Amino acid sequence: MNTLRLFIADDEPPARMLLREYLRGMQDVILVGEAENGAESVSLINDVKPAAVILDVQLPELNGFEVLEHLETLPHVIFSTAYNEFAVKAFEENAIDYLLKPYTKERFQKAITKLQERVNTASANLVQVEALSRLLTQLPQLPSNQATNNQATNNQAINNQGTKPQSASSQIPLTRLMVRSGNRIIPL
């Protein structure tokens, strides 16, 4: 398991202190920064590029959802707030979890475990996609005008005879590969 780089964004010093306490002693998790308002969160998250953020919804300057809109790269997110009315929107934003304050250390650990599983799955999928992309670059490529000529020949054969000749499929170069990763289909 890789070390999870985590960032905390919460305007309440006691809440940040509690999160640091909950993180203390957790193996494979490192706190890479924290912020007390939305603007500071955007700046620091863009600088340190954590894998995940524990994000309060109600922050001064920019709320948690606005913070996400301003990030260069979206990290995995666990929302942490005292307000339950934002839960649906949080999950619409692909939140890993929604911690309703006050929460116990056990509830926090459960959210971190879920987060680690998601990050590890995403990392494994990325490695597979990168390996397939490298393989694709090693496939022989036909010049683009030859591919166009082959397609025109195939279309003419279909129009003249009403059926596609069997050898036509071998003349069309592979231009795109689709890869299944879990429930997703990824075009390469």
Side-chain angles (χ1 to χ4, degrees), residues 4-132:
L4 176 65
R5 295 171 36 85
L6 187 67
F7 188 92
I8 297 171
D10 198 307
D11 62 323
E12 300 171 16
R16 291 194 310 274
M17 186 173 72
L18 181 64
L19 287 170
R20 284 193 304 273
E21 177 63 33
Y22 284 173
L23 288 169
R24 198 168 288 126
M26 289 186 94
Q27 306 242 338
D28 302 323
V29 179
I30 182 169
L31 182 61
V32 295
E34 55 184 75
E36 61 185 31
N37 66 55
E40 182 183 32
S41 297
V42 169
S43 176
L44 291 173
I45 292 169
N46 283 335
D47 284 344
V48 299
K49 300 195 181 343
V53 176
I54 298 176
L55 184 60
D56 191 0
V57 174
Q58 298 285 51
L59 292 169
E61 298 182 34
L62 297 171
N63 69 42
F65 300 109
E66 292 168 330
V67 166
L68 294 178
E69 291 173 9
H70 289 86
L71 295 179
E72 295 165 2
T73 304
L74 285 178
H76 297 279
V77 178
I78 294 175
F79 281 98
S80 170
T81 185
Y83 304 95
N84 63 0
E85 64 261 23
F86 300 110
V88 171
K89 185 170 183 180
F91 286 108
E92 288 173 349
E93 296 292 328
N94 294 318
I96 303 294
D97 210 333
Y98 192 88
L99 296 172
L100 191 57
K101 296 175 183 177
Y103 45 85
T104 64
K105 185 174 184 177
E106 291 75 25
R107 177 66 181 95
F108 176 77
Q109 288 174 330
K110 183 177 178 181
I112 293 295
T113 299
K114 188 189 304 186
L115 174 64
Q116 288 172 317
E117 289 169 358
R118 183 84 56 95
V119 168
N120 289 335
T121 299
S123 295
N125 289 343
L126 181 60
V127 167
Q128 291 173 347
V129 167
E130 288 172 348
L132 287 170

Side-chain angles (χ1 to χ4, degrees), residues 136-143 146 173-175:
L136 279 177
T137 61
Q138 297 173 5
L139 291 175
Q141 296 288 322
L142 289 176
Q146 186 176 354
L174 177 65
T175 58

